[in-house]
Amino acid sequence: MPSTKREQLVDTAIDLFYRDGFHATGIDKILTESGVAKMTLYKHFKSKDELILAALRKRDEIFRNMFMQGVESRAKEPRKQLLAIFDTLDEWFGTRDFSGCMFINAAAEFPEAESPIHVICAENKRLVVKYITDLAEKAGFKNPDLLGQGLTLLMEGAVVMYYVGNQKDAAMQAKKSAEQLLKAAEL
């Protein structure tokens, strides 16, 4: 349960932006769903874009924590964790409210690279790559940067193929490709 009106607004915005999109979700809808007054909204946020940024920052924290905990609860060794990425994705895809990647969705709606909204989306992707690259380094692969990039591409592709391509086994198909990538990286 959100402890402040600001958190209530951000949590409601996350849900609505994720489900319905950023441009399609108006301030009035957020106010109605959150039960917060317009005056309170503008006390905390000068614009809808500021609310979007706050929602993306919180979603980033929530998603990366969920993702890392999912990976690390499935395997203790870094090499196995690199494959557990895809089991974690598969679980996420099966959640009731899965609507693709909020950061891909936001970047598509705010495509200008210098937009603060686009910048925060790019930062989320950079941090995910860093996490995967760090796992590859801990696992002892000789080129962890290249492997981290490759596994991230498989991961992002699985998200898109599941959500857009309706390929229900996308995470497990990506995992099979990841196994091949790990074998090749050992050579």
Short mmCIF file of all heavy atoms in Angstrom, two decimals, residues 18-74:
data_model
loop_
_atom_site.label_atom_id
_atom_site.label_comp_id
_atom_site.label_asym_id
_atom_site.label_seq_id
_atom_site.Cartn_x
_atom_site.Cartn_y
_atom_site.Cartn_z
N TYR A 18 1.92 1.23 -18.21
CA TYR A 18 2.35 -0.09 -18.65
C TYR A 18 1.23 -0.79 -19.42
O TYR A 18 1.47 -1.39 -20.46
CB TYR A 18 2.77 -0.91 -17.43
CG TYR A 18 3.37 -2.26 -17.75
CD1 TYR A 18 4.43 -2.41 -18.63
CD2 TYR A 18 2.88 -3.41 -17.15
CE1 TYR A 18 4.99 -3.65 -18.92
CE2 TYR A 18 3.43 -4.66 -17.42
CZ TYR A 18 4.48 -4.77 -18.30
OH TYR A 18 5.03 -6.00 -18.58
N ARG A 19 0.03 -0.69 -18.93
CA ARG A 19 -1.09 -1.38 -19.56
C ARG A 19 -1.60 -0.66 -20.81
O ARG A 19 -1.85 -1.29 -21.84
CB ARG A 19 -2.24 -1.52 -18.56
CG ARG A 19 -3.41 -2.34 -19.09
CD ARG A 19 -4.59 -2.34 -18.16
NE ARG A 19 -5.24 -1.03 -18.21
CZ ARG A 19 -5.90 -0.50 -17.19
NH1 ARG A 19 -6.00 -1.13 -16.05
NH2 ARG A 19 -6.46 0.68 -17.33
N ASP A 20 -1.73 0.68 -20.73
CA ASP A 20 -2.42 1.41 -21.79
C ASP A 20 -1.51 2.28 -22.66
O ASP A 20 -1.95 2.76 -23.70
CB ASP A 20 -3.50 2.32 -21.18
CG ASP A 20 -4.54 1.52 -20.40
OD1 ASP A 20 -4.77 0.33 -20.72
OD2 ASP A 20 -5.14 2.08 -19.47
N GLY A 21 -0.28 2.50 -22.23
CA GLY A 21 0.63 3.36 -22.98
C GLY A 21 0.74 4.74 -22.34
O GLY A 21 -0.10 5.13 -21.52
N PHE A 22 1.75 5.46 -22.73
CA PHE A 22 2.05 6.75 -22.13
C PHE A 22 1.20 7.86 -22.72
O PHE A 22 0.60 8.65 -21.98
CB PHE A 22 3.54 7.06 -22.27
CG PHE A 22 4.39 6.11 -21.51
CD1 PHE A 22 4.80 4.90 -22.07
CD2 PHE A 22 4.76 6.37 -20.20
CE1 PHE A 22 5.56 4.00 -21.35
CE2 PHE A 22 5.51 5.46 -19.47
CZ PHE A 22 5.92 4.28 -20.06
N HIS A 23 1.13 7.93 -24.04
CA HIS A 23 0.33 8.99 -24.67
C HIS A 23 -1.17 8.74 -24.49
O HIS A 23 -1.94 9.69 -24.36
CB HIS A 23 0.67 9.12 -26.16
CG HIS A 23 2.07 9.61 -26.41
ND1 HIS A 23 2.60 10.73 -25.82
CD2 HIS A 23 3.05 9.13 -27.21
CE1 HIS A 23 3.84 10.92 -26.22
NE2 HIS A 23 4.14 9.94 -27.07
N ALA A 24 -1.56 7.48 -24.45
CA ALA A 24 -2.97 7.15 -24.33
C ALA A 24 -3.52 7.34 -22.91
O ALA A 24 -4.74 7.40 -22.72
CB ALA A 24 -3.20 5.71 -24.77
N THR A 25 -2.64 7.45 -21.95
CA THR A 25 -3.07 7.61 -20.55
C THR A 25 -3.02 9.08 -20.18
O THR A 25 -1.95 9.68 -20.12
CB THR A 25 -2.16 6.81 -19.60
OG1 THR A 25 -2.21 5.43 -19.98
CG2 THR A 25 -2.61 6.95 -18.16
N GLY A 26 -4.18 9.63 -19.92
CA GLY A 26 -4.26 11.04 -19.55
C GLY A 26 -4.15 11.24 -18.04
O GLY A 26 -4.37 10.32 -17.25
N ILE A 27 -3.85 12.45 -17.68
CA ILE A 27 -3.75 12.83 -16.26
C ILE A 27 -5.07 12.57 -15.54
O ILE A 27 -5.08 12.08 -14.41
CB ILE A 27 -3.32 14.31 -16.13
CG1 ILE A 27 -1.86 14.48 -16.56
CG2 ILE A 27 -3.53 14.83 -14.72
CD1 ILE A 27 -0.85 13.75 -15.69
N ASP A 28 -6.18 12.87 -16.19
CA ASP A 28 -7.49 12.67 -15.54
C ASP A 28 -7.71 11.21 -15.18
O ASP A 28 -8.24 10.90 -14.11
CB ASP A 28 -8.62 13.19 -16.43
CG ASP A 28 -8.65 14.70 -16.52
OD1 ASP A 28 -8.07 15.37 -15.62
OD2 ASP A 28 -9.24 15.23 -17.48
N LYS A 29 -7.29 10.31 -16.05
CA LYS A 29 -7.42 8.86 -15.77
C LYS A 29 -6.56 8.49 -14.56
O LYS A 29 -7.01 7.74 -13.69
CB LYS A 29 -6.99 8.07 -17.02
CG LYS A 29 -6.98 6.57 -16.84
CD LYS A 29 -8.36 5.99 -16.92
CE LYS A 29 -8.27 4.48 -16.93
NZ LYS A 29 -9.56 3.86 -16.81
N ILE A 30 -5.35 9.02 -14.49
CA ILE A 30 -4.46 8.73 -13.36
C ILE A 30 -5.07 9.26 -12.07
O ILE A 30 -5.07 8.59 -11.03
CB ILE A 30 -3.06 9.32 -13.60
CG1 ILE A 30 -2.39 8.60 -14.77
CG2 ILE A 30 -2.19 9.21 -12.34
CD1 ILE A 30 -1.15 9.29 -15.31
N LEU A 31 -5.63 10.46 -12.12
CA LEU A 31 -6.25 11.05 -10.94
C LEU A 31 -7.46 10.23 -10.49
O LEU A 31 -7.62 9.97 -9.29
CB LEU A 31 -6.65 12.50 -11.22
CG LEU A 31 -5.50 13.47 -11.45
CD1 LEU A 31 -6.02 14.83 -11.89
CD2 LEU A 31 -4.62 13.60 -10.21
N THR A 32 -8.29 9.84 -11.44
CA THR A 32 -9.48 9.04 -11.11
C THR A 32 -9.09 7.72 -10.47
O THR A 32 -9.62 7.33 -9.42
CB THR A 32 -10.33 8.79 -12.37
OG1 THR A 32 -10.75 10.05 -12.90
CG2 THR A 32 -11.54 7.93 -12.07
N GLU A 33 -8.14 7.01 -11.11
CA GLU A 33 -7.71 5.69 -10.61
C GLU A 33 -7.00 5.78 -9.26
O GLU A 33 -7.13 4.88 -8.44
CB GLU A 33 -6.80 5.02 -11.63
CG GLU A 33 -7.47 4.65 -12.92
CD GLU A 33 -8.31 3.41 -12.84
OE1 GLU A 33 -7.92 2.45 -12.14
OE2 GLU A 33 -9.38 3.39 -13.48
N SER A 34 -6.22 6.85 -9.06
CA SER A 34 -5.45 6.97 -7.82
C SER A 34 -6.26 7.58 -6.68
O SER A 34 -5.91 7.42 -5.52
CB SER A 34 -4.20 7.82 -8.04
OG SER A 34 -4.56 9.17 -8.31
N GLY A 35 -7.32 8.30 -7.03
CA GLY A 35 -8.11 8.97 -6.01
C GLY A 35 -7.41 10.20 -5.44
O GLY A 35 -7.74 10.65 -4.35
N VAL A 36 -6.46 10.73 -6.18
CA VAL A 36 -5.68 11.89 -5.74
C VAL A 36 -6.18 13.13 -6.48
O VAL A 36 -6.53 13.06 -7.65
CB VAL A 36 -4.17 11.66 -6.01
CG1 VAL A 36 -3.36 12.89 -5.70
CG2 VAL A 36 -3.67 10.47 -5.20
N ALA A 37 -6.21 14.25 -5.78
CA ALA A 37 -6.68 15.51 -6.37
C ALA A 37 -5.64 16.09 -7.33
O ALA A 37 -4.44 15.91 -7.15
CB ALA A 37 -6.98 16.52 -5.27
N LYS A 38 -6.14 16.82 -8.34
CA LYS A 38 -5.26 17.45 -9.33
C LYS A 38 -4.26 18.38 -8.66
O LYS A 38 -3.08 18.43 -9.04
CB LYS A 38 -6.09 18.21 -10.36
CG LYS A 38 -5.26 18.70 -11.54
CD LYS A 38 -6.12 19.38 -12.58
CE LYS A 38 -6.65 18.33 -13.53
NZ LYS A 38 -7.25 18.88 -14.75
N MET A 39 -4.69 19.10 -7.65
CA MET A 39 -3.81 20.03 -6.95
C MET A 39 -2.63 19.27 -6.31
O MET A 39 -1.49 19.73 -6.33
CB MET A 39 -4.60 20.78 -5.88
CG MET A 39 -3.95 21.95 -5.28
SD MET A 39 -5.28 22.71 -4.31
CE MET A 39 -4.43 24.01 -3.58
N THR A 40 -2.92 18.12 -5.76
CA THR A 40 -1.87 17.29 -5.15
C THR A 40 -0.90 16.78 -6.21
O THR A 40 0.31 16.76 -5.99
CB THR A 40 -2.51 16.11 -4.38
OG1 THR A 40 -3.42 16.63 -3.42
CG2 THR A 40 -1.47 15.26 -3.69
N LEU A 41 -1.43 16.39 -7.35
CA LEU A 41 -0.57 15.94 -8.46
C LEU A 41 0.43 17.04 -8.81
O LEU A 41 1.64 16.78 -8.88
CB LEU A 41 -1.41 15.59 -9.68
CG LEU A 41 -0.61 15.38 -10.97
CD1 LEU A 41 0.08 14.03 -10.98
CD2 LEU A 41 -1.50 15.52 -12.18
N TYR A 42 -0.06 18.25 -9.01
CA TYR A 42 0.82 19.33 -9.44
C TYR A 42 1.70 19.86 -8.31
O TYR A 42 2.68 20.56 -8.57
CB TYR A 42 0.03 20.42 -10.15
CG TYR A 42 -0.42 19.93 -11.51
CD1 TYR A 42 -1.76 19.69 -11.78
CD2 TYR A 42 0.51 19.64 -12.50
CE1 TYR A 42 -2.16 19.20 -13.02
CE2 TYR A 42 0.12 19.14 -13.74
CZ TYR A 42 -1.22 18.93 -13.99
OH TYR A 42 -1.60 18.43 -15.21
N LYS A 43 1.39 19.49 -7.09
CA LYS A 43 2.29 19.80 -5.96
C LYS A 43 3.56 18.95 -6.07
O LYS A 43 4.65 19.38 -5.72
CB LYS A 43 1.55 19.53 -4.64
CG LYS A 43 2.39 19.74 -3.41
CD LYS A 43 1.54 19.43 -2.17
CE LYS A 43 2.39 18.73 -1.15
NZ LYS A 43 1.64 18.21 -0.04
N HIS A 44 3.39 17.73 -6.57
CA HIS A 44 4.51 16.79 -6.66
C HIS A 44 5.19 16.76 -8.04
O HIS A 44 6.38 16.47 -8.13
CB HIS A 44 4.04 15.38 -6.31
CG HIS A 44 3.61 15.24 -4.90
ND1 HIS A 44 4.50 15.24 -3.85
CD2 HIS A 44 2.37 15.10 -4.36
CE1 HIS A 44 3.83 15.11 -2.71
NE2 HIS A 44 2.54 15.02 -2.99
N PHE A 45 4.43 17.03 -9.09
CA PHE A 45 4.95 16.94 -10.45
C PHE A 45 4.51 18.16 -11.25
O PHE A 45 3.33 18.49 -11.28
CB PHE A 45 4.44 15.66 -11.14
CG PHE A 45 4.75 14.42 -10.38
CD1 PHE A 45 3.79 13.81 -9.58
CD2 PHE A 45 6.02 13.87 -10.42
CE1 PHE A 45 4.08 12.66 -8.85
CE2 PHE A 45 6.32 12.72 -9.70
CZ PHE A 45 5.35 12.13 -8.90
N LYS A 46 5.46 18.80 -11.91
CA LYS A 46 5.16 20.00 -12.70
C LYS A 46 4.47 19.67 -14.02
O LYS A 46 3.83 20.52 -14.62
CB LYS A 46 6.44 20.78 -12.98
CG LYS A 46 7.05 21.39 -11.75
CD LYS A 46 8.33 22.12 -12.08
CE LYS A 46 8.95 22.60 -10.79
NZ LYS A 46 10.39 22.58 -10.81
N SER A 47 4.65 18.42 -14.47
CA SER A 47 4.10 18.03 -15.77
C SER A 47 3.87 16.53 -15.81
O SER A 47 4.37 15.78 -14.96
CB SER A 47 5.07 18.42 -16.88
OG SER A 47 6.26 17.65 -16.76
N LYS A 48 3.16 16.09 -16.83
CA LYS A 48 2.96 14.66 -17.05
C LYS A 48 4.32 13.98 -17.30
O LYS A 48 4.55 12.87 -16.82
CB LYS A 48 2.02 14.43 -18.24
CG LYS A 48 1.75 12.96 -18.52
CD LYS A 48 0.80 12.79 -19.69
CE LYS A 48 0.63 11.34 -20.07
NZ LYS A 48 -0.21 11.17 -21.26
N ASP A 49 5.22 14.67 -18.02
CA ASP A 49 6.54 14.08 -18.28
C ASP A 49 7.30 13.81 -16.98
O ASP A 49 8.00 12.81 -16.87
CB ASP A 49 7.37 14.98 -19.20
CG ASP A 49 6.95 14.86 -20.65
OD1 ASP A 49 6.00 14.11 -20.96
OD2 ASP A 49 7.59 15.52 -21.50
N GLU A 50 7.19 14.70 -16.00
CA GLU A 50 7.84 14.46 -14.70
C GLU A 50 7.26 13.23 -14.02
O GLU A 50 7.98 12.45 -13.41
CB GLU A 50 7.71 15.68 -13.79
CG GLU A 50 8.74 16.75 -14.06
CD GLU A 50 8.78 17.80 -12.95
OE1 GLU A 50 8.23 17.58 -11.84
OE2 GLU A 50 9.39 18.84 -13.20
N LEU A 51 5.95 13.05 -14.13
CA LEU A 51 5.31 11.86 -13.57
C LEU A 51 5.78 10.61 -14.32
O LEU A 51 6.06 9.57 -13.70
CB LEU A 51 3.78 11.98 -13.64
CG LEU A 51 2.98 10.78 -13.13
CD1 LEU A 51 3.31 10.44 -11.68
CD2 LEU A 51 1.49 11.05 -13.29
N ILE A 52 5.91 10.70 -15.62
CA ILE A 52 6.41 9.57 -16.41
C ILE A 52 7.82 9.20 -15.96
O ILE A 52 8.12 8.02 -15.75
CB ILE A 52 6.38 9.88 -17.92
CG1 ILE A 52 4.94 9.97 -18.42
CG2 ILE A 52 7.17 8.84 -18.72
CD1 ILE A 52 4.79 10.51 -19.84
N LEU A 53 8.68 10.19 -15.78
CA LEU A 53 10.05 9.92 -15.33
C LEU A 53 10.06 9.24 -13.96
O LEU A 53 10.81 8.28 -13.75
CB LEU A 53 10.86 11.21 -15.29
CG LEU A 53 11.23 11.79 -16.65
CD1 LEU A 53 11.79 13.20 -16.50
CD2 LEU A 53 12.21 10.90 -17.38
N ALA A 54 9.24 9.73 -13.04
CA ALA A 54 9.17 9.11 -11.71
C ALA A 54 8.67 7.67 -11.81
O ALA A 54 9.19 6.77 -11.14
CB ALA A 54 8.26 9.93 -10.80
N ALA A 55 7.68 7.44 -12.67
CA ALA A 55 7.13 6.09 -12.85
C ALA A 55 8.20 5.16 -13.44
O ALA A 55 8.36 4.02 -13.00
CB ALA A 55 5.90 6.14 -13.74
N LEU A 56 8.95 5.65 -14.42
CA LEU A 56 10.00 4.83 -15.04
C LEU A 56 11.12 4.53 -14.06
O LEU A 56 11.65 3.41 -14.05
CB LEU A 56 10.54 5.51 -16.30
CG LEU A 56 9.60 5.50 -17.51
CD1 LEU A 56 10.13 6.40 -18.61
CD2 LEU A 56 9.39 4.08 -18.02
N ARG A 57 11.50 5.51 -13.25
CA ARG A 57 12.56 5.26 -12.26
C ARG A 57 12.14 4.17 -11.28
O ARG A 57 12.92 3.26 -10.96
CB ARG A 57 12.88 6.54 -11.50
CG ARG A 57 13.74 7.50 -12.27
CD ARG A 57 14.15 8.72 -11.43
NE ARG A 57 14.70 9.73 -12.29
CZ ARG A 57 14.03 10.81 -12.71
NH1 ARG A 57 12.80 11.04 -12.30
NH2 ARG A 57 14.60 11.68 -13.52
N LYS A 58 10.90 4.26 -10.80
CA LYS A 58 10.43 3.25 -9.85
C LYS A 58 10.28 1.89 -10.53
O LYS A 58 10.66 0.86 -9.96
CB LYS A 58 9.11 3.68 -9.21
CG LYS A 58 8.66 2.71 -8.14
CD LYS A 58 7.54 3.25 -7.29
CE LYS A 58 7.20 2.26 -6.18
NZ LYS A 58 6.09 2.73 -5.35
N ARG A 59 9.77 1.87 -11.74
CA ARG A 59 9.61 0.61 -12.47
C ARG A 59 10.98 -0.03 -12.72
O ARG A 59 11.13 -1.25 -12.62
CB ARG A 59 8.88 0.85 -13.80
CG ARG A 59 8.77 -0.36 -14.67
CD ARG A 59 7.91 -1.43 -14.08
NE ARG A 59 7.91 -2.59 -14.98
CZ ARG A 59 7.19 -3.65 -14.81
NH1 ARG A 59 6.37 -3.76 -13.80
NH2 ARG A 59 7.25 -4.64 -15.67
N ASP A 60 11.98 0.80 -13.02
CA ASP A 60 13.34 0.29 -13.22
C ASP A 60 13.82 -0.42 -11.96
O ASP A 60 14.33 -1.54 -12.02
CB ASP A 60 14.28 1.43 -13.58
CG ASP A 60 15.73 0.98 -13.66
OD1 ASP A 60 16.05 0.09 -14.47
OD2 ASP A 60 16.55 1.51 -12.89
N GLU A 61 13.65 0.22 -10.83
CA GLU A 61 14.08 -0.38 -9.56
C GLU A 61 13.33 -1.69 -9.30
O GLU A 61 13.93 -2.70 -8.96
CB GLU A 61 13.84 0.61 -8.42
CG GLU A 61 14.26 0.10 -7.07
CD GLU A 61 13.96 1.10 -5.96
OE1 GLU A 61 13.89 2.31 -6.22
OE2 GLU A 61 13.78 0.64 -4.82
N ILE A 62 12.02 -1.65 -9.47
CA ILE A 62 11.20 -2.84 -9.22
C ILE A 62 11.59 -3.98 -10.18
O ILE A 62 11.80 -5.12 -9.77
CB ILE A 62 9.69 -2.52 -9.38
CG1 ILE A 62 9.23 -1.60 -8.25
CG2 ILE A 62 8.85 -3.79 -9.45
CD1 ILE A 62 7.86 -0.97 -8.49
N PHE A 63 11.70 -3.64 -11.47
CA PHE A 63 11.99 -4.68 -12.46
C PHE A 63 13.37 -5.29 -12.24
O PHE A 63 13.52 -6.51 -12.21
CB PHE A 63 11.90 -4.16 -13.90
CG PHE A 63 12.37 -5.19 -14.88
CD1 PHE A 63 11.55 -6.24 -15.23
CD2 PHE A 63 13.66 -5.15 -15.39
CE1 PHE A 63 11.99 -7.24 -16.10
CE2 PHE A 63 14.11 -6.14 -16.25
CZ PHE A 63 13.27 -7.18 -16.60
N ARG A 64 14.39 -4.45 -12.10
CA ARG A 64 15.74 -5.01 -11.96
C ARG A 64 15.88 -5.81 -10.67
O ARG A 64 16.54 -6.85 -10.66
CB ARG A 64 16.80 -3.92 -12.07
CG ARG A 64 16.98 -3.48 -13.53
CD ARG A 64 18.15 -2.55 -13.79
NE ARG A 64 18.08 -1.33 -13.01
CZ ARG A 64 18.90 -1.02 -12.00
NH1 ARG A 64 19.88 -1.82 -11.66
NH2 ARG A 64 18.76 0.12 -11.34
N ASN A 65 15.24 -5.38 -9.59
CA ASN A 65 15.28 -6.18 -8.35
C ASN A 65 14.60 -7.53 -8.56
O ASN A 65 15.12 -8.57 -8.17
CB ASN A 65 14.64 -5.42 -7.19
CG ASN A 65 15.53 -4.35 -6.64
OD1 ASN A 65 16.75 -4.42 -6.73
ND2 ASN A 65 14.93 -3.32 -6.07
N MET A 66 13.43 -7.51 -9.18
CA MET A 66 12.70 -8.75 -9.46
C MET A 66 13.54 -9.66 -10.36
O MET A 66 13.67 -10.86 -10.11
CB MET A 66 11.36 -8.43 -10.13
CG MET A 66 10.51 -9.63 -10.56
SD MET A 66 10.87 -10.42 -12.17
CE MET A 66 10.74 -9.08 -13.33
N PHE A 67 14.12 -9.08 -11.38
CA PHE A 67 14.91 -9.85 -12.35
C PHE A 67 16.13 -10.48 -11.68
O PHE A 67 16.36 -11.69 -11.79
CB PHE A 67 15.31 -8.92 -13.50
CG PHE A 67 16.14 -9.59 -14.55
CD1 PHE A 67 15.61 -10.59 -15.36
CD2 PHE A 67 17.46 -9.22 -14.75
CE1 PHE A 67 16.38 -11.20 -16.34
CE2 PHE A 67 18.24 -9.82 -15.72
CZ PHE A 67 17.69 -10.81 -16.51
N MET A 68 16.89 -9.68 -10.95
CA MET A 68 18.11 -10.20 -10.31
C MET A 68 17.76 -11.23 -9.24
O MET A 68 18.43 -12.27 -9.14
CB MET A 68 18.93 -9.06 -9.72
CG MET A 68 19.58 -8.19 -10.80
SD MET A 68 20.69 -6.93 -10.16
CE MET A 68 19.55 -5.72 -9.55
N GLN A 69 16.73 -10.98 -8.44
CA GLN A 69 16.33 -11.96 -7.42
C GLN A 69 15.87 -13.26 -8.08
O GLN A 69 16.18 -14.35 -7.59
CB GLN A 69 15.23 -11.38 -6.54
CG GLN A 69 15.73 -10.32 -5.58
CD GLN A 69 14.61 -9.62 -4.84
OE1 GLN A 69 13.43 -9.91 -5.01
NE2 GLN A 69 14.99 -8.67 -4.00
N GLY A 70 15.15 -13.14 -9.19
CA GLY A 70 14.70 -14.33 -9.91
C GLY A 70 15.87 -15.16 -10.42
O GLY A 70 15.90 -16.38 -10.26
N VAL A 71 16.84 -14.48 -11.01
CA VAL A 71 18.02 -15.17 -11.53
C VAL A 71 18.80 -15.82 -10.39
O VAL A 71 19.17 -17.00 -10.45
CB VAL A 71 18.92 -14.18 -12.33
CG1 VAL A 71 20.29 -14.79 -12.62
CG2 VAL A 71 18.22 -13.75 -13.61
N GLU A 72 19.07 -15.05 -9.35
CA GLU A 72 19.93 -15.52 -8.25
C GLU A 72 19.25 -16.56 -7.37
O GLU A 72 19.93 -17.35 -6.73
CB GLU A 72 20.44 -14.32 -7.47
CG GLU A 72 21.40 -13.49 -8.33
CD GLU A 72 21.64 -12.08 -7.84
OE1 GLU A 72 21.31 -11.76 -6.67
OE2 GLU A 72 22.18 -11.28 -8.64
N SER A 73 17.93 -16.60 -7.37
CA SER A 73 17.24 -17.63 -6.59
C SER A 73 17.22 -18.97 -7.34
O SER A 73 17.06 -20.02 -6.74
CB SER A 73 15.81 -17.21 -6.27
OG SER A 73 15.01 -17.21 -7.44
N ARG A 74 17.42 -18.93 -8.64
CA ARG A 74 17.38 -20.14 -9.45
C ARG A 74 18.74 -20.84 -9.56
O ARG A 74 18.79 -22.03 -9.87
CB ARG A 74 16.88 -19.81 -10.85
CG ARG A 74 15.40 -19.54 -10.90
CD ARG A 74 14.94 -19.13 -12.30
NE ARG A 74 13.50 -19.17 -12.39
CZ ARG A 74 12.69 -18.24 -11.91
NH1 ARG A 74 13.18 -17.19 -11.31
NH2 ARG A 74 11.39 -18.35 -12.03
#
